[in-house]
Amino acid sequence: TLSSSSAASDVYKRQSVTSPLAAMVVSIDVAIGDVVEAGQTVITLEAMKMNTIVSAPNAGTVSAIHVSASDAVEEGQAMVTLA
């Protein structure tokens, strides 16, 4: 028998886009309310003079932005929330 858990309900869970490394936020490439596709750039970070593009892990709508340009972020820190 199949589990009664619904995959559809998983679509509505909020998901954080987190920093892959300790870095500085160069730019925020989305705004609250933007609809993003999986793989779309949401934030650009800089560490040791190299830019790192942070992409949306899945499609969704930007519901919160937790950082600003020039903020220092730690590895694993939530930067954007997708709904």
Side-chain angles (χ1 to χ4, degrees), residues 14 28-36 60-67 79-83:
R14 294 185 184 276
I28 299 164
D29 304 306
V30 294
I32 292 174
D34 284 0
V35 175
V36 297
T61 302
V62 177
S63 61
I65 298 172
H66 308 290
V67 295
M79 299 184 295
V80 173
T81 301
L82 301 179

Side-chain angles (χ1 to χ4, degrees), residues 39-72:
Q40 180 176 334
T41 299
V42 293
I43 299 240
T44 303
L45 300 175
E46 180 186 299
M48 298 186 298
K49 305 288 184 197
M50 293 186 63
N51 283 355
T52 300
I53 303 299
V54 181
S55 303
N58 54 276
T61 302
V62 177
S63 61
I65 298 172
H66 308 290
V67 295
S68 299
S70 79
D71 281 0

Side-chain angles (χ1 to χ4, degrees), residues 2-32:
L2 294 175
S3 168
S4 62
S5 69
S6 170
S9 68
D10 292 344
V11 171
Y12 298 104
K13 288 183 181 175
R14 294 185 184 276
Q15 179 165 8
S16 292
V17 179
T18 59
S19 178
L21 72 168
M24 186 180 73
V25 177
V26 174
S27 64
I28 299 164
D29 304 306
V30 294
I32 292 174

